[in-house]
Amino acid sequence: MLPFYLLTLAATIQAHNLLPGSCNFESNTCGYTSDADFTSWTLHKDGRFVSVEAALSDNQEDVIDADKGTQIDITGVLLSPNLEQGEWSCLRLVYQISGSGSLEVLQRTEGKSMDKPLWSSQASSDSWVISSMDLQNTTEPYRVVIEGKPGQSAGSSVAVFEIHISPGYCLECNFEESHLCGYSNQWNANVNWYVGGGGSQILHNNIPNDHTYNNRTGHLMYVDSIYTKTFKEVAKLVSPMTTVPMSGCLSFQYQRSEEGGNMFSVFTRDRMGQYQELWRAGSENQNDWSGTLEEWIPVQVDLKAPYSVQVVFEVSFNSPRAGRVAVDDIFFSPEFCSTDTEPTFDPSIANCDFESGFCRYTQEQVIGSLWKRVSVKPNIFRNGDHTTGAGYFLLAHSRLSPLSGYVSRLVGPTLPGNTKYCLRFYFSLRGFNQTDQALAVYLQQQGSSQERIWTQGEKSRGIWITTDITFQTSQPAKVVFVSTCKSFWDCGSVALDDISVSLGDCSVSPFLPGHCDFEAGLCGYTQDKQSDTGDWELRRGPTPTSYTGPRGDHTTGLGYYLYMEASPMLPGQSIRMLSRPLRGSRGAQCLRFYYHMYGSGTGQLSVHLRKHGEDALLWQLSGEQSIAWLRATVEYRSGVQHQVVFEATRGSSVRSDIAIDDIIIESGPCPVTKTEAPVGTSNEIE
């Protein structure tokens, strides 16, 4: 690794450029405190770090479940003092996860019950590691929350060595400090980036003056071809990963020798490891270090990082005499370098739930049948839309249509080229024998060239199923949804709903606090064992009892949901599930969730607000509602710590399975939407 690992444990943060919230834990914790509701972090004065460890405390009950005899997860929460920083800043964390465990950094704003995730890691290491995260400018005071969870294996621990908050962007660096701003060298056996300057020249005596101070004591980064062994040896200097969307002007200074012997380029690299070139040094900007001027060449290049990327400074050599490249003073400005640069594209213009029309989607009427916008009254025979269960969706050629042998095309708005997109949508099929003809997605580029990027491969069984498509196009393009009907006997119906487009790779999903889709467990929700006569159970697919419960989950159609199995329970018995404790806030909170109440004996679903040990009813519904997932929206207020409680009560018969999915708790009032009461007329999915 880079000479960041020159960063000896004795190295100290230089105090002249630090903001409040920085700490090296040399003699105290700088105002950082452990949350009393969790395991305490321990200050190790000899080693100058704080840690939380997977060791049994004196009180065994703190970490051992007496009923099951298993070790309970240990969590330590470290809270910074209140910080007020109106300008953009960068938090650099020097940490180590030993054995197994996880570390997460969040931002806590006063008056909000949910913390904003900034960064997390579960990667263990044998040495200290540095990570960087941008703190966006804000007018509200906040606290940094560091949550450490050591694994249950012996010797596991999570430790923090330094917290370094400095003004500016995490991409910026003049390489004057030992941590090198989190920049690292991607190791190569023969050619690597090194720190130059500092008054000592170990490998070479002709390193130029740095750009920051224009002397031999300042620092820079350089790579030399002298140890090149094979053709096209590559050295990469990699920035920290951006953690928030950014766009603007990236600037740096460089020197480059031996015009024909090396190639110097700057790329972005996303979390999936895919590169995109930003800039390449040309022959017109060469500067030979053997000359006397030793001039630094400035570069400015527009950078658009709407999703997490690293900036990679890459040099390739073709011989041991291919010269040297140096880089210094990397800076970033939120203003583009060029005044005519297009702003970062807002992909939400391609989103549509069809509740208020077709949004920016159009149809080509000359080709064939049109997509129809329909709605369904929730009932026990027909599935509703995906958005609310009672809203609108699009429907292509029903099998009841007198036409056959036609195509339905739905064309989205133009998406700019040279950008990676994630397309998500929900579909439902009925009656098709040839599913590859039922629904396909194409990219239509300028000039009418088409490329198919997805075709139906999963039989939907009449439920809503989601699909994710990651694509990138060099030219502006439109997404086209195409449904083809060859003959009357092959045709059924195709339903389409909740189309969304975002920037980046679909496989990189941000963690959203307060959101739970039960795909990875219970998200901190717990069963109420004191009064429960059963348990909420995770399940995928239909419930065991016929004519009750959902046929699939709401999130993907193929994932998990939480439900009450009524068979082993008696009428009137209930099960309860509690959220983790939520902080009180000054304003309103919004709870949204999806419920499924289908079955002739369906009982009651209630939502309560628990505070001070008492429950207050927020929402309640009884009896059979629909074969579809329906959305509930509940706005509430609580200025003190509280929990949200979901309670399901068994009805008169075993056909009383009740399910919930996709719970969202957010700060702020619930968004104003159209009524979620049943609307519309017929449903042709059936």
Side-chain angles (χ1 to χ4, degrees):
M1 295 294 291
L2 237 197
F4 142 64
Y5 292 108
L6 285 173
L7 181 147
T8 64
L9 295 185
T12 59
I13 296 176
Q14 298 183 20
H16 66 275
N17 199 30
L18 295 185
L19 296 173
S22 301
C23 192
N24 62 9
F25 302 103
E26 183 171 1
S27 58
N28 56 57
T29 59
C30 314
Y32 280 82
T33 57
S34 292
D35 190 323
D37 293 331
F38 298 89
T39 303
S40 293
W41 288 75
T42 302
L43 174 63
H44 297 253
K45 292 187 177 180
D46 293 339
R48 296 193 324 167
F49 62 92
V50 290
S51 69
V52 57
E53 302 175 357
L56 295 181
S57 66
D58 294 335
N59 183 1
Q60 298 281 318
E61 294 179 356
D62 289 344
V63 291
I64 297 293
D65 187 323
D67 295 331
K68 300 181 180 179
T70 56
Q71 188 172 1
I72 297 175
D73 290 340
I74 296 174
T75 301
V77 176
L78 191 65
L79 302 174
S80 77
N82 283 322
L83 305 176
E84 297 187 29
Q85 292 161 192
E87 299 300 323
W88 196 290
S89 57
C90 177
L91 188 154
R92 296 188 178 95
L93 188 73
V94 184
Y95 70 96
Q96 183 179 9
I97 300 174
S98 300
S100 61
S102 65
L103 185 63
E104 185 173 11
V105 180
L106 307 100
Q107 191 173 21
R108 177 173 298 179
T109 303
E110 185 67 28
K112 293 186 178 180
S113 59
M114 296 292 171
D115 297 333
K116 175 185 176 182
L118 298 176
W119 169 90
S120 64
S121 177
Q122 295 180 343
S124 61
S125 67
D126 296 328
S127 58
W128 297 101
V129 182
I130 188 170
S131 185
S132 305
M133 58 217 76
D134 282 289
L135 301 176
Q136 294 172 285
N137 47 329
T138 175
T139 57
E140 297 181 300
Y142 66 90
R143 303 177 82 175
V144 172
V145 181
I146 300 176
E147 187 173 293
K149 295 182 179 181
Q152 296 183 3
S153 57
S156 294
S157 67
V158 178
V160 174
F161 176 63
E162 287 185 357
I163 300 170
H164 179 289
I165 303 178
S166 58
Y169 296 81
C170 290
L171 286 179
E172 298 179 331
C173 198
N174 60 12
F175 304 106
E176 297 303 325
E177 298 189 40
S178 55
H179 53 64
L180 302 181
C181 318
Y183 277 77
S184 61
N185 171 68
Q186 186 169 309
W187 180 256
N188 181 307
N190 300 318
V191 294
N192 292 280
W193 288 88
Y194 294 95
V195 181
S200 62
Q201 308 300 338
I202 301 174
L203 299 178
H204 306 283
N205 58 10
N206 60 342
I207 300 296
N209 290 346
D210 81 317
H211 181 267
T212 312
Y213 300 117
N214 191 28
N215 60 32
R216 298 280 176 174
T217 59
H219 296 85
L220 53 90
M221 298 300 299
Y222 76 95
V223 57
D224 199 294
S225 65
I226 190 170
Y227 297 113
T228 299
K229 302 295 183 185
T230 62
F231 180 72
K232 211 162 188 179
E233 295 269 19
V234 177
K236 296 181 180 181
L237 178 66
V238 184
S239 79
M241 184 76 71
T242 61
T243 55
V244 295
M246 295 169 54
S247 61
C249 182
L250 179 72
S251 62
F252 60 93
Q253 302 281 337
Y254 83 99
Q255 290 191 15
R256 176 174 173 237
S257 65
E258 304 298 338
E259 179 175 338
N262 61 64
M263 181 181 295
F264 178 33
S265 305
V266 179
F267 299 86
T268 58
R269 182 171 68 187
D270 64 20
R271 289 192 183 274
M272 304 307 296
Q274 296 185 334
Y275 287 78
Q276 183 172 350
E277 187 174 84
L278 291 178
W279 172 88
R280 178 177 297 185
S283 58
E284 70 279 2
N285 286 330
Q286 300 306 315
N287 178 59
D288 191 345
W289 283 1
S290 61
T292 58
L293 294 178
E294 294 185 353
E295 292 181 356
W296 286 92
I297 301 173
V299 174
Q300 290 187 331
V301 57
D302 286 330
L303 170 67
K304 295 180 181 180
Y307 45 87
S308 294
V309 297
Q310 294 168 298
V311 175
V312 181
F313 294 85
E314 180 180 290
V315 178
S316 60
F317 299 108
N318 58 18
S319 77
R321 297 177 299 279
R324 192 186 303 129
V325 174
V327 170
D328 200 5
D329 289 347
I330 302 169
F331 290 102
F332 180 81
S333 167
E335 303 293 331
F336 284 117
C337 317
S338 174
T339 55
D340 58 356
T341 300
E342 292 290 331
T344 303
F345 175 68
D346 179 7
S348 66
I349 69 167
N351 295 355
C352 195
D353 59 13
F354 304 105
E355 297 303 301
S356 302
F358 279 78
C359 308
R360 300 198 181 194
Y361 287 82
T362 59
Q363 304 202 58
E364 300 176 356
Q365 300 187 27
V366 296
I367 293 181
S369 175
L370 295 178
W371 289 83
K372 293 178 291 182
R373 180 172 166 265
V374 300
S375 60
V376 177
K377 180 179 181 179
N379 56 53
I380 62 172
F381 303 108
R382 296 170 178 172
N383 222 347
D385 79 319
H386 181 265
T387 314
T388 68
Y392 288 86
F393 58 96
L394 294 191
L395 193 68
H397 48 73
S398 163
R399 62 180 176 223
L400 301 178
S401 171
L403 299 175
S404 63
Y406 57 82
V407 177
S408 298
R409 291 169 56 88
L410 182 72
V411 183
T414 301
L415 306 176
N418 295 319
T419 304
K420 182 181 289 187
Y421 297 97
C422 172
L423 168 67
R424 288 189 173 100
F425 60 91
Y426 287 82
F427 66 93
S428 181
L429 305 181
R430 290 293 179 91
F432 271 90
N433 294 322
Q434 298 180 356
T435 57
D436 62 334
Q437 298 291 325
L439 182 63
V441 179
Y442 292 82
L443 273 185
Q444 180 177 296
Q445 297 183 348
Q446 292 179 344
S448 299
S449 63
Q450 282 196 155
E451 173 191 0
R452 187 162 69 176
I453 58 175
W454 177 86
T455 187
Q456 161 63 9
E458 173 72 36
K459 292 185 177 179
S460 71
R461 307 187 306 276
I463 61 176
W464 289 105
I465 290 181
T466 187
T467 190
D468 296 343
I469 309 168
T470 299
F471 65 92
Q472 190 164 1
T473 173
S474 59
Q475 300 294 327
K478 298 180 179 181
V479 171
V480 184
F481 295 87
V482 180
S483 183
T484 304
C485 170
K486 286 190 173 181
S487 70
F488 175 81
W489 302 107
D490 290 333
C491 292
S493 60
V494 181
L496 189 63
D497 202 5
D498 290 345
I499 302 172
S500 66
V501 177
S502 58
L503 299 176
D505 199 290
C506 292
S507 61
V508 181
S509 298
F511 169 74
L512 300 174
H515 292 212
C516 189
D517 57 16
F518 301 109
E519 298 306 306
L522 296 181
C523 318
Y525 284 87
T526 56
Q527 307 279 353
D528 185 349
K529 295 294 184 181
Q530 295 182 352
S531 59
D532 279 3
T533 53
D535 284 328
W536 287 94
E537 300 177 23
L538 282 172
R539 187 171 182 86
R540 63 192 306 179
T543 58
T545 308
S546 59
Y547 301 106
T548 188
R551 288 176 286 178
D553 77 319
H554 180 266
T555 314
T556 68
L558 305 174
Y560 289 90
Y561 57 90
L562 208 61
Y563 88 111
M564 175 191 73
E565 175 54 54
S567 301
M569 300 173 63
L570 297 176
Q573 290 185 331
S574 63
I575 59 175
R576 291 161 60 88
M577 184 182 67
L578 285 69
S579 73
R580 63 177 178 80
L582 304 171
R583 294 192 311 279
S585 62
R586 297 186 300 267
Q589 304 288 298
C590 184
L591 165 67
R592 285 180 288 171
F593 63 95
Y594 287 84
Y595 61 93
H596 198 283
M597 300 175 70
Y598 165 61
S600 58
T602 299
Q604 180 175 275
L605 178 62
S606 306
V607 179
H608 304 271
L609 182 69
R610 166 169 282 196
K611 53 184 177 180
H612 303 307
E614 297 182 356
D615 289 353
L617 182 65
L618 291 178
W619 179 94
Q620 189 175 79
L621 197 61
S622 300
E624 185 176 54
Q625 300 297 316
S626 172
I627 199 172
W629 285 98
L630 302 176
R631 186 173 71 184
T633 301
V634 183
E635 187 173 301
Y636 71 91
R637 292 175 181 268
S638 178
V640 298
Q641 188 179 83
H642 60 279
Q643 292 174 285
V644 173
V645 183
F646 291 87
E647 181 178 26
T649 304
R650 186 211 195 255
S652 59
S653 76
V654 294
R655 293 192 174 95
S656 182
D657 295 345
I658 295 175
I660 56 176
D661 201 4
D662 291 342
I663 303 171
I664 300 174
I665 303 176
E666 295 178 314
S667 297
C670 293
V672 178
T673 58
K674 294 182 63 176
T675 177
E676 296 179 14
V679 294
T681 53
S682 65
N683 174 13
E684 299 180 52
I685 292 182
E686 303 292 334

